[in-house]
Amino acid sequence: MKNWLTYNQMTRENSGGKAVELANMKKLGLNVPDFFALSMPVADYIRQTGNTMEVEEELLASLSEVPLYAVRSSAIMEDGNETSFAGLFETFLNVPKEKLGEKILACLRAVGNNHIQDYVHFHEIEKRELGLTVIVQEMVPAEKSGVLFTANPQGLLNESVLIVGNGLGEGVVNAEVPVTTYFLKRDESLIYFEREEDSPQLREEELESLLEQVDGLSEEKLDIEFAVYKGEVFVLQARPITTYPRGEVAVYNNSNLVESYPGLTQPLTESFIKFAYEHVFKGVAWRFSRSQALVASYQSAFEELVVRINGRMYYNMNHLYGLLQFLPFPKLILPIWQEMMGFSQKEVVISHDLEKKTSLWESLSISVRILKELITAPQQMDELNHEFQDTSAFFTETYKVDMTADEVEQLYNTLAEQVLKKWDITLVNDLYAFIYTGISKRILRKWGKDPESGEWYHWFSGIPMMSSMEPVIGMQQLTAFVREHDLVEELKQIQTESELALFLNRKPAFAQEFTRYIDKYGDRGLEELKLEADTFRSQPLKAIRQMVDLLDTSPKPITTAPSEMEEPFKGWRKHVFRFVSKRARLGIQHRETSRLNRSRIYGMVRTLFGRLGEIAEQKGLISAHDDVFWLTTEEIFDLKDYHGVIEERKLAQEGFESLPAYGYLVFQGSPYNKVVRNIENARQGTDEKILQGTPTSNGIVEGEILVVHQPNEVRTDAKDKILVTQMTDPGWVFLLTQAKGIIAEKGSLLSHTAIISRELGIPAVVGIKHATQQLQSGEQVILDGNTGQVTRKEAFDEGRTIK
């Protein structure tokens, strides 16, 4: 056996790259079929002399009793980043024992083939450096075979791609058999797949076996060939992925942002919020630095702070973290900011061109300005609110339903100038609220109190003048008016907008109250920050239906009075905690006020773009007025025939609807949208009897689950149920007044889920991955808002026992 090497003897120098990778996997315990390799000096000798190659019977006997073998090359220079030699060398499958010598020599002599010689010459490789030898391996009579890319070769680093087909791997690689393509988002336990007709699927235990084996490999980006025979998964080969996009790694995260823009978003909303984020963050940078040069150096970050990928909105974290370097002592502030924003991934990533550009003197100056802005933030927020009332009045006086396109554009630009002039103070107030909220929790922890207990949540509930509650309070006052004037049955009969118009004409007193409500709160609703969403203002009939729902239920009473709070500390500590928590509550109060005003801004913009949609429809440039939401702001102000563009975008969005919602994306190179084909969802999440999340509103309740995928479709069904959803937005307040509790996949201590549930006094838990898949409507659970645990009373998982 002197001419042959077993896996314990192999190195890259004596047996080539492919052989040593197999040897390493074998040593790690992966299920690699037994193999041996021709030693490099002997391989060189045979290639030069052309002598017949004989394989010792003793060596073959060391393998399992198999009738057939695989014979393939292994070269030192193979599978390199610059020299992959992909598909150039020879591989022979199903080789009987008597043909081994012939096929080994064929592999060695292939180095003289023209296509390999051309490749070697192009890459300026010396023949000796190539170092070609041969592997002989047990042949697995595969029923299914495939390739697993541990990172998506298109550049999505935290998504794996698995392709499987019937039979041997060469049929899959050569596209000779129909395949099933799996996409695995393993850091979020999400899987979906695309199937061709008559293509196979991996059984769950086969998939788990393969993933468990590759988890032991250290290389992050691998191309792994595998085979399945009688339920056993074999790893046949592993090589680095060499064809990969160039460029820096960029991270995209939708934590916190998904609260404002849940689900899929259309292009008009994307382009508008990119414009808004750019100017608001640029305003903060100027406010803190007073340096045009410094602000200009971050222009690329301002322009791409948010981005739409596969129809969903994400923060560009490289740019966001780059901008946060403006803050003094970022290492101290960032953990608090991450917690308040609900970011589960804590790694700080910054684009190379956005590394901190401030000098020591600039940093000191910025620190002083930030301190000044934080001290005066409450006063400035009050001033912003008063100025916004003037802007709102200006819009009401100026807008006319018959405005021309030019008049709409002029009003839009004036509105943008007035709103964006000082709106950046809302981000300063967010920082104000984050800092004081974080400090209050640290004080509780440092002085022996549990910041996750009811004390913290009780102290931060019952905030007076909480704007988030105003629309519900106003709606309750409307329902009281309806009962007082005996209008309940008439309201229930209204089914169309025309019937509503007739009713309002007949009931002027109600019409006055209803119009006042719409003028004040008509822009609050589910998904209110999506311009394409329907609100009470755009569809008043929705407000009537909400009123009817409240008339048919007994919603929780809401008070605007501050809650009675027991002091958690005595003496000087009481005064310190009161000082800090008072400012945290004030920051939260102002934050909610600005959010309500923000919904009104979006209402104005929605109205303006709706008018442009009417004009475009009248001119035949789009098929329907609401098709305008498939355009960008640049396109909408340059009206022309967009029928083709709109249809293409609608088709892409239909595909995006079938994709699972990724919350965290890591790209190398530019992000891209997926081209979606025949998608089916596989398992999502894990099945557990106790689900653990982050508590945000204390209390314990037991009740029936209602999983909410489409909140617009939920009406009285929410009464006395524990609602389960991916996330909530401000418009959920109407549903939550009926609910027993709330469980959300996304959220943070200062998310709307947390704030509204605390105000309503219902338990809430956020941050439970795949809650909408793991829990089912009708299931009974115990929701513990003190510990963040959700305990299932029964398991609904196709009869399987829950772990």
Side-chain angles (χ1 to χ4, degrees):
M1 295 174 57
K2 63 182 179 180
N3 296 331
W4 300 96
L5 303 170
T6 61
Y7 71 88
N8 285 316
Q9 302 168 307
M10 293 177 186
T11 65
R12 180 171 290 273
E13 290 72 25
N14 67 19
S15 55
K18 195 172 296 181
V20 80
E21 289 299 330
L22 283 173
N24 290 337
M25 290 192 293
K26 193 80 170 174
K27 293 172 186 176
L28 288 170
L30 277 68
N31 191 21
V32 177
D34 288 337
F35 67 98
F36 51 81
L38 182 63
S39 63
M40 193 69 69
V42 175
D44 290 341
Y45 172 76
I46 292 171
R47 186 166 61 241
Q48 292 168 10
T49 64
N51 288 352
T52 303
M53 185 66 233
E54 296 293 340
V55 180
E56 291 92 332
E57 288 291 334
E58 180 185 355
L59 192 60
L60 291 176
S62 70
L63 303 183
S64 302
E65 291 295 326
V66 295
L68 300 171
Y69 301 87
V71 180
R72 56 169 61 95
S73 67
S74 178
I76 293 177
M77 298 293 292
E78 196 174 1
D79 296 335
N81 289 332
E82 302 297 331
T83 56
S84 68
F85 285 92
L88 296 183
F89 292 123
E90 293 288 354
T91 295
F92 299 99
L93 305 178
N94 293 316
V95 179
K97 182 168 58 174
E98 59 273 16
K99 294 284 187 180
L100 282 176
E102 174 187 330
K103 299 304 181 186
I104 291 169
L105 287 173
C107 279
L108 292 172
R109 289 170 180 159
V111 74
N113 292 344
N114 290 336
H115 60 281
I116 295 180
Q117 289 299 311
D118 291 342
Y119 190 90
V120 168
H121 178 73
F122 177 81
H123 288 278
E124 300 180 348
I125 300 170
E126 295 290 337
K127 290 185 178 180
R128 183 66 187 177
E129 294 175 350
L130 182 60
L132 185 68
T133 186
V134 180
I135 299 168
V136 177
Q137 189 172 34
E138 294 178 9
M139 187 71 203
V140 177
E143 298 161 349
K144 294 178 283 192
S145 300
V147 179
L148 170 65
F149 298 95
T150 57
N152 190 320
Q154 287 184 271
L156 182 52
L157 294 180
N158 63 336
E159 177 185 73
S160 301
V161 180
L162 186 154
I163 304 169
V164 62
N166 286 317
L168 299 179
E170 62 180 351
V172 176
V173 174
N174 296 330
E176 296 171 350
V177 297
V179 297
T180 299
T181 303
Y182 290 83
F183 297 88
L184 303 95
K185 186 69 164 50
R186 301 188 65 198
D187 53 6
E188 295 185 81
S189 301
L190 293 169
I191 301 176
Y192 72 95
F193 57 91
E194 297 176 344
R195 293 188 66 187
E196 297 177 358
E197 188 175 356
D198 299 325
S199 65
Q201 288 181 250
L202 289 176
R203 292 163 53 202
E204 187 168 328
E205 52 268 31
E206 293 170 347
L207 177 60
E208 289 179 354
S209 172
L210 175 61
L211 296 178
E212 285 175 6
Q213 292 189 62
V214 303
D215 279 345
L217 302 176
S218 58
E219 177 68 42
E220 294 181 353
K221 295 181 284 189
L222 289 174
D223 166 352
I224 300 169
E225 293 183 18
F226 67 91
V228 181
Y229 178 61
K230 293 185 177 179
E232 187 175 0
V233 180
F234 297 87
V235 176
L236 306 179
Q237 189 168 284
R239 65 176 72 86
I241 301 174
T242 55
T243 55
Y244 216 77
R246 298 186 181 275
E248 70 175 1
V249 173
V251 177
Y252 299 85
N253 195 318
N254 69 3
S255 294
N256 182 264
L257 190 65
V258 73
E259 182 182 315
S260 299
Y261 305 97
L264 299 181
T265 301
Q266 291 176 210
L268 185 57
T269 294
E270 177 200 12
S271 62
F272 174 71
I273 65 176
K274 288 183 77 166
F275 169 80
Y277 271 74
E278 174 188 349
H279 287 82
V280 170
F281 273 81
K282 189 183 292 185
V284 172
W286 167 253
R287 181 184 289 267
F288 288 166
S289 71
R290 291 297 193 268
S291 169
Q292 290 288 7
L294 189 61
V295 171
S297 69
Y298 283 89
Q299 182 59 34
S300 62
F302 294 132
E303 292 176 352
E304 293 292 332
L305 266 177
V306 292
V307 63
R308 180 171 170 263
I309 304 172
N310 298 327
R312 301 177 188 274
M313 296 307 303
Y314 295 86
Y315 284 117
N316 183 324
M317 300 303 294
N318 296 51
H319 290 178
L320 188 57
Y321 279 124
L323 292 176
L324 289 173
Q325 298 307 302
F326 269 102
L327 300 177
F329 313 111
K331 290 184 179 180
L332 296 177
I333 294 176
L334 282 179
I336 297 175
W337 179 82
Q338 288 172 326
E339 181 182 5
M340 296 302 102
M341 293 284 282
F343 287 119
S344 56
Q345 287 77 21
K346 307 296 186 183
E347 181 184 3
V348 176
V349 288
I350 302 173
S351 295
H352 295 314
D353 60 342
L354 295 177
E355 294 178 356
K356 196 167 184 179
K357 298 178 173 64
T358 52
S359 65
L360 177 60
W361 174 250
E362 286 174 325
S363 296
L364 291 173
S365 299
I366 289 172
S367 299
V368 171
R369 290 192 191 97
I370 290 176
L371 183 60
K372 177 183 176 182
E373 294 292 343
L374 289 174
I375 292 173
T376 60
Q379 177 186 342
Q380 293 190 70
M381 287 297 293
D382 283 333
E383 292 172 358
L384 177 69
N385 187 40
H386 290 307
E387 291 179 13
F388 177 76
Q389 307 311 318
D390 296 337
T391 300
S392 182
F394 165 77
F395 178 83
T396 302
E397 294 169 3
T398 307
Y399 177 75
K400 302 293 185 292
V401 295
D402 59 351
M403 294 181 87
T404 66
D406 288 341
E407 289 171 335
V408 170
E409 184 174 2
Q410 183 179 355
L411 180 53
Y412 173 84
N413 291 332
T414 303
L415 188 66
E417 182 180 352
Q418 290 185 7
V419 170
L420 294 174
K421 182 169 56 178
K422 291 187 177 179
W423 198 260
D424 57 283
I425 189 60
T426 62
L427 292 188
V428 179
N429 181 73
D430 284 352
L431 182 62
Y432 179 97
F434 291 169
I435 289 174
Y436 279 110
T437 301
I439 292 174
S440 69
K441 293 194 71 176
R442 292 192 178 191
I443 286 176
L444 286 171
R445 187 178 291 111
K446 185 176 179 63
W447 291 344
K449 300 290 185 177
D450 181 5
E452 308 300 336
S453 71
E455 289 179 340
W456 192 91
Y457 301 117
H458 180 66
W459 193 265
F460 285 89
S461 62
I463 298 177
M465 299 175 63
M466 181 68 83
S467 298
S468 299
M469 308 308 299
E470 290 180 17
V472 174
I473 296 171
M475 183 67 76
Q476 289 182 350
Q477 292 169 347
L478 265 180
T479 57
F481 182 94
V482 168
R483 287 193 176 98
E484 181 182 346
H485 292 80
D486 197 23
L487 302 175
V488 176
E489 294 306 316
E490 289 184 76
L491 273 181
K492 289 183 177 181
Q493 299 303 314
I494 298 173
Q495 299 297 321
T496 65
E497 296 288 351
S498 59
E499 290 174 356
L500 173 59
L502 290 173
F503 178 79
L504 294 176
N505 284 333
R506 289 189 292 104
K507 304 292 182 181
F510 174 79
Q512 183 178 5
E513 295 295 323
F514 184 71
T515 301
R516 184 182 295 117
Y517 180 86
I518 295 297
D519 286 343
K520 198 168 185 180
Y521 305 116
D523 301 307
R524 173 123 292 182
L526 296 164
E527 303 185 345
E528 62 190 26
L529 298 187
K530 294 181 182 180
L531 296 175
E532 63 270 19
D534 292 325
T535 61
F536 291 164
R537 187 183 304 280
S538 61
Q539 289 196 5
L541 188 59
K542 291 171 65 73
I544 297 297
R545 288 172 177 163
Q546 181 65 65
M547 209 179 309
V548 169
D549 291 344
L550 289 178
L551 289 166
D552 287 339
T553 60
S554 300
K556 295 174 175 59
I558 300 173
T559 177
T560 56
S563 59
E564 294 294 328
M565 295 171 290
E566 181 181 349
E567 298 283 357
F569 303 109
K570 304 294 184 182
W572 65 271
R573 291 183 174 181
K574 175 182 73 174
H575 298 293
V576 171
F577 183 74
R578 179 178 290 181
F579 175 86
V580 172
S581 60
K582 178 181 178 181
R583 278 148 186 80
R585 288 161 60 88
L586 184 61
I588 294 171
Q589 177 184 321
H590 281 307
R591 191 167 186 250
E592 291 305 300
T593 298
S594 69
R595 283 177 164 182
L596 181 58
N597 287 338
R598 182 180 59 177
S599 73
R600 291 164 174 155
I601 294 169
Y602 277 67
M604 298 175 201
V605 173
R606 185 181 292 111
T607 298
L608 291 174
F609 287 147
R611 173 56 187 156
L612 288 176
E614 294 172 355
I615 294 171
E617 182 184 12
Q618 292 167 4
K619 293 183 176 181
L621 303 176
I622 58 178
S623 299
H625 69 276
D626 55 1
D627 278 349
V628 74
F629 299 112
W630 294 103
L631 303 176
T632 66
T633 51
E634 293 78 10
E635 291 167 342
I636 203 173
F637 289 129
D638 181 27
L639 286 177
K640 55 186 178 182
D641 192 325
Y642 285 111
H643 287 90
V645 171
I646 291 170
E647 290 308 310
E648 181 180 331
R649 291 174 183 172
K650 284 183 178 180
L651 185 61
Q653 193 89 326
E654 287 177 9
F656 298 151
E657 287 176 354
S658 60
L659 292 173
Y662 287 2
Y664 182 65
L665 302 170
V666 182
F667 285 98
Q668 184 164 331
S670 300
Y672 62 88
N673 291 317
K674 293 197 171 188
V675 178
V676 180
R677 299 178 180 86
N678 301 317
I679 280 186
E680 298 179 40
N681 284 321
R683 60 181 175 84
Q684 298 190 10
T686 57
D687 303 319
E688 299 175 348
K689 194 165 186 178
I690 298 178
L691 310 180
Q692 182 65 53
T694 300
T696 57
S697 181
N698 66 302
I700 302 175
V701 292
E702 179 180 335
E704 181 183 337
I705 287 293
L706 176 64
V707 178
V708 181
H709 294 290
Q710 300 294 334
N712 283 306
E713 299 174 2
V714 178
R715 294 182 64 186
T716 57
D717 294 342
K719 181 174 172 54
D720 293 329
K721 304 283 180 63
I722 297 174
L723 305 185
V724 180
T725 181
Q726 290 184 333
M727 77 295 294
T728 68
D729 61 31
W732 273 73
V733 66
F734 296 104
L735 289 178
L736 294 181
T737 59
Q738 306 174 40
K740 268 184 152 183
I742 179 74
I743 300 168
E745 296 178 353
K746 304 280 188 179
S748 65
L749 293 171
L750 295 186
S751 66
H752 279 288
T753 305
I755 291 171
I756 301 304
S757 58
R758 289 197 293 266
E759 292 303 309
L760 294 173
I762 62 174
V765 174
V766 303
I768 295 184
K769 287 186 176 181
H770 315 304
T772 55
Q773 277 79 42
Q774 297 192 73
L775 297 168
Q776 298 187 18
S777 294
E779 186 174 353
Q780 295 286 324
V781 301
I782 298 172
L783 169 61
D784 190 334
N786 303 324
T787 65
Q789 286 190 344
V790 177
T791 305
R792 309 169 71 155
K793 297 190 69 176
E794 295 183 45
F796 292 84
D797 187 29
E798 301 176 356
R800 291 192 298 176
T801 303
I802 302 293
K803 298 177 182 178

